[in-house]
Amino acid sequence: MSNQNSTVLLTRLLSLKENSPFLLVLDSLSQSSHYLIREFPHRCSSNNKILYLSYETANKVPFASEFLDCTTVSSQQIASFVKQHSNSTIATGSSTIAPSKTLVIIDSLNYIPNNEITQFLTSIIQPSIAILGTFHTNIPQPQSALLNYPSALTIFSFIASSIFEVEAIHEQFIDEESLENRVNRLDLPVNAGLNSNKFKLTLTNRRKSGRSVIYKFTIDSENHVYEQYKASKEEEIDPEDESLLKGLTTFNLTTNSKQKLAREQVELPYLEAQEAMGASGGAIVYEYEKDDDYDEEDPYEDPF
Amino acid sequence: MSFRKRGDVIGGTPISGRNPGSPTAPGSNPGGPGRAPGIHGGRQIPNARVQTPQGSIQGQTAEDNANSIMKNPGVRPSLITSQPTVSTGSSDLDKLLLHQGLPLGHSLLIEESGTTDFAVVLLRAYASQGVLHNRVVKDQINAHVIAVGVSPQWANDLPGLYKGSSKEQKKAKILANESKVSVSNLSGTSTAPRSENDMKIAWRYGINGGNRRSESPEAYENSTYEHYNNQFDITQKLTPGPNSSDISFVSVGSGLNGLSHIQIIQQIQSIIQRQIKNNPGIVIRIVIPGLLNPTTYSPLACSPTFIFPFVHALRSILRQNGNNVVLVASLSLDLYPRDSNLAHTLETLIDSCIHLQPFNQEMSQLIEKAYKNEPSKIQQGLVNIIKLPVLSEKGLMMVHEGEYAFKNGRKRFEIEAWGIPVEDTEKEEGHSTMEGGKTSKNIEF
Amino acid sequence: MSTGQNQDLTIFKDNSLLSDAILSSESSLLSTITYVQGTSPQWLINSLIENALQGTAALVNNDLNQKIRNRSEVEFVSFLHPLDYYVKNCKKNGLDLTHSPGFTFIDYFSQLFTENIKDTTSSKKEISKMFDDITKKLKISNNKKKVVFIELPEVLLQATDFTSDGLLAEILKVNRLCRQLFIISAKDHIKSFNLDSSIPQDPVFKTTDFLVKLFHRSHYNISLSPLSTGRASDITGSLTISKGSLPVDSVVDRLVINEKEYIYHITKDSNIRLFFR
């Protein structure tokens, strides 16, 4: 799919025009799903009702018409709440307009016990609703009491029709590995572009056939602009690019084309030898000759 | 020698508690009207506190409690915070804790790596110290030890006083015989050789009036709080041994029939309440040797639902009886590594913590070689400071690893600054400053 | 190693510690104060109590010197210290907590495992009651400007069978009743915080689960740790103010966190100096 089409797909998903019953968002401590979630109400029309199922949100959300505190109710009550608020059709002028989809946002799927996940989802899923749930990926996964039973993340990823994985576009000064080390210690770096309203999105969308397509975007949730993700400048640096060498000193550090040609024709020493010895890959191979004296009984003799 | 000479106290009847009417200074012996004048006369710390009539035990207010504890011969104000502090029984450890001891209402955990048990030396000295405070004045109870999780046999191995080198012992014997009369005049002080030394210093002070600053402040302090701490000899047994007013034992159950944490805590609490009721100024030393040792504690005791509440409740007891109780415990890190949540829990709930780390074979050999002509310099391991009372909790960073080493000497448990010894032919050792363990010479291995 | 001038500690770009905007909003904020062994946050907590009660922060910020009477009501719940400890230590901040009507201390330390929770293997009922008492006390006054501190709630996870989800649900209830909730917790790597832990009954697992979930609900985080380069005699440690997973301006308009890393030094007399890193 072309750039344009991928952005269109994203926008269709965000506005609930594309059929996708279970939209899974994966976030982490370095980038929260908060901004992505709000792109949905931004793109939805006023015909789309929004229900908010809260396990961890203390404050009411302005864009949801109904808010349920799931920590104080049973899963049956959650199911009936969803049923109750999603069947109501929006009154419109014409009766032939199909009722718009209801968006059910679940702030965190991590509170549903592992062995109740499918039960929970099937109890609330209906053709008229789309479930948008966030799964926090840093939360430690408990060893299941049931052997071989897949983890929560595996189950959700398997069931989801679209997966939105958000990542931070972090500053250059911190690399992936050290960021991970710091997250492991709950020591998040500051002024590093974490938890920002501009972030990287990897969208995996499953068609009806089951085949999935993957697209990467850079999302600017402040201006609601979605662009195809470009790898960072670093990855694109051409090793032949000498622009950095210009103007560093008064010496001429660049090579002109004649010099480049000459350089390529230089025969490097030991090339032949490398090819010959290539098989042993630099290992020291000892060739035993007739004058060498190998004592088989000596336990400290060099092994071959 | 020192214990047998409990001479008659002249002119006063010591009762368990205080002598009403006689002005006392913190740290000095309140029951000693027979003290020769002039020895401590010039050394009394100006005492702003007025002696409160202690005859009636009922109606003790917290303030009275606080006042009476400062009169306990085993208590002195902390060098840093001025709060009442007691000696751990090892003066080097006292110094390491910065307060010159362990402040009342606080606790110390001694962790040890390896299969040795140097920690028990410190714990036994801590217990002995308490017992000795009951022998300052005849029949005056100043301290009580509560030993948790050990059998009464544990009390048989408490160290006796260090009586000086053999030369000093001979000298002291001669002196003792010569001045028999004056010794028994002193109100049964059990630390005869030590107090005689102190007396000499004090006399010098008395004569030299304004020269007190020329002597080290430590000597000054020692003479005022002369009963604060003692030196122990681990080859000598404490004789006579402790009796029931000196020490009680609290069981943690046996084998698989461990007691619940509430049962143990209640036992400890009732002993404390009883002791404080009888002596509001008493110092109660809780000692827990080998916490969670599998030979004593039930396996279920390791469960977080037992050990956490147990130690948490001990912390609460310490705070609620902040004027009277201290606690020292030891833990084997081989059984419960520092990385484990269990050790971490103990380090969180207990106010201070040191880690004894005996040297491995390589290092021991290196040290023995370096000091082969000076065996007294041989150190057995490192002392790492993890947490110090009051200060760590305030927010100060008090972790010092690899800066101190210990020597379990016969005379005392020494802790000194650590530096890797140099093994060169000139016999120069790496010298370390008190601040850090840096050697000033080239280290050659 | 201490370079530069002594700095004032601020959390928000409006140069405040606890912004007026939060106190007068209708929203509930959650923040974490996490630390590791060696760098106790006691001094910071005392200054935040002072700032909440009377607007000043004498030991860490010279600009905040206007005393405001009854700025907010503070409810302090501690699982590690008794009231005495705070009364004594806050004296240096110019607070007399025994005569501060706006200050309520809930002592869940002194009798935690002797009275409050008698059976640590079946603790849900008793712990729920403890939190009910907290919310009851919060509902007593109609004053909306409430600040709550809960010190070391993970004690409940490590010493009993209580679950992290259960604890989080109780904390959520408390959060909704105040403008600002501070949770103070230790996060020692491996010893109490380990993302690789997997045994559900393991105290480390429960604490880790609790902290990560808490961070996902937090609007800003304050973290204290020793210097990574080792001990220095004139530096105690580093203090970091960072954005949380939830943006603050989604609940309080135009409020911006002043993300920063400070290094600080504290003396035995609790004198504090802060520097920018």
Side-chain angles (χ1 to χ4, degrees), chain B residues 93-315:
Chain B
L93 179 57
D94 287 346
K95 250 185 271 179
L96 202 71
L97 294 176
L98 294 186
H99 295 269
Q100 208 68 14
L102 185 58
L104 286 170
H106 291 78
S107 48
L108 168 67
L109 177 67
I110 303 177
E111 297 174 340
E112 183 161 353
S113 303
T115 47
T116 50
D117 195 358
F118 289 107
V120 79
V121 173
L122 292 169
L123 263 57
R124 288 197 170 125
Y126 164 76
S128 258
Q129 184 66 75
V131 175
L132 281 184
H133 283 147
N134 291 341
R135 296 174 185 181
V136 171
V137 176
K138 182 180 157 96
D139 290 337
Q140 182 180 77
I141 301 295
N142 294 310
H144 188 78
V145 179
I146 302 180
V148 180
V150 286
S151 71
Q153 271 80 5
W154 195 81
N156 294 343
D157 292 318
L158 297 187
L161 275 181
Y162 175 67
K163 293 167 197 152
S165 65
S166 39
K167 225 198 279 180
E168 288 170 354
Q169 282 190 46
K170 284 199 192 122
K171 253 198 220 163
K173 246 195 179 128
I174 296 168
L175 266 171
N177 286 330
E178 283 177 2
S179 51
K180 224 175 178 137
V181 174
S182 53
V183 168
S184 57
N185 270 350
L186 295 172
S187 45
T189 51
S190 44
T191 55
R194 227 175 105 86
S195 57
E196 285 193 10
N197 279 334
D198 291 343
M199 257 206 296
K200 291 187 192 142
I201 300 168
W203 266 118
R204 241 180 285 142
Y205 277 149
I207 291 168
N208 295 332
N211 273 11
R212 50 177 114 161
R213 274 190 219 288
S214 58
E215 297 286 346
S216 69
E218 225 185 270
Y220 165 77
E221 298 282 8
N222 281 343
S223 61
T224 317
Y225 299 108
E226 91 174 286
H227 299 290
Y228 181 69
N229 65 359
N230 302 95
Q231 204 170 330
F232 295 98
D233 183 337
I234 51 175
T235 59
Q236 296 288 329
K237 239 166 93 156
L238 182 66
T239 42
N243 57 38
S244 58
S245 44
D246 293 324
I247 189 167
S248 328
F249 296 90
V250 171
S251 162
V252 293
S254 55
L256 293 165
N257 299 322
L259 299 178
S260 77
H261 73 272
I262 293 191
Q263 287 170 312
I264 307 174
I265 292 293
Q266 277 170 350
Q267 278 185 63
I268 297 175
Q269 257 170 347
S270 56
I271 298 176
I272 292 175
Q273 273 157 14
R274 210 178 342 136
Q275 291 290 334
I276 294 183
K277 192 164 173 232
N278 293 334
N279 302 297
I282 196 169
V283 169
I284 297 177
R285 294 168 175 249
I286 305 177
V287 64
I288 313 185
L291 183 58
L292 292 180
N293 186 320
T295 54
T296 318
Y297 291 75
S298 139
L300 298 168
C302 300
S303 160
T305 50
F306 167 83
I307 188 64
F308 201 120
F310 176 54
V311 182
H312 190 278
L314 285 174
R315 181 184 165 92

Side-chain angles (χ1 to χ4, degrees), chain B residues 80 261-262 265 304-305 308-309 312-313 315-316 319-320 338-341 344-345 347-349 386 391-400 403, chain C residues 37-38 40 42-43 79-81 85 89 109-110 112-114 118 120-121 155 158-160 188 190-192 203-204 226 231 236 266-268 270:
Chain B
I80 312 180
H261 73 272
I262 293 191
I265 292 293
T305 50
F308 201 120
H312 190 278
R315 181 184 165 92
S316 172
R319 296 297 192 261
Q320 283 176 13
R338 279 205 69 209
D339 258 0
S340 64
N341 180 254
H344 173 67
T345 296
E347 289 176 13
T348 303
L349 297 173
I386 293 162
L391 298 175
S392 290
E393 214 170 26
K394 258 203 181 143
L396 280 79
M397 169 54 171
M398 307 260 58
V399 177
H400 292 250
E403 294 183 30
Chain C
Q37 187 182 67
S40 150
Q42 207 51 58
W43 58 274
F79 291 91
L80 190 69
H81 295 113
Y85 182 74
N89 285 317
F109 158 72
S110 300
L112 184 59
F113 296 110
T114 47
K118 295 235 173 77
T120 52
T121 56
V155 161
Q158 297 184 3
T160 74
D188 295 83
I190 305 296
K191 301 179 200 196
S192 67
V204 177
R231 213 170 60 83
T236 305
I266 178 167
T267 67
K268 292 173 188 163
S270 300

Side-chain angles (χ1 to χ4, degrees), chain A residues 28-29 32 34-35 55-59 69 111 136 138-139 141-143 184-186 190-191 194-195, chain C residues 27-28 165 176 187 189 193 195 197-198 205 209 212-213 215-217 240-245 247 251 259:
Chain A
S28 66
L29 286 170
S32 136
H34 186 270
Y35 294 105
Y55 284 91
E56 58 180 26
T57 308
N59 298 291
D69 178 357
Y111 296 86
H136 304 306
N138 287 123
I139 291 172
Q141 290 306 302
Q143 223 172 52
N184 281 346
R185 290 174 177 269
L186 219 54
V190 290
N191 295 317
L194 302 189
N195 287 315
Chain C
S27 307
S28 300
D165 284 355
R176 290 194 172 122
K187 57 168 177 185
H189 190 51
F193 184 81
L195 289 179
S197 53
S198 60
F205 178 87
D209 188 57
V212 177
K213 286 175 175 163
F215 265 60
H216 273 291
R217 306 167 179 218
T240 308
I241 312 268
S242 61
K243 286 192 291 193
S245 289
V251 284
E259 279 203 314

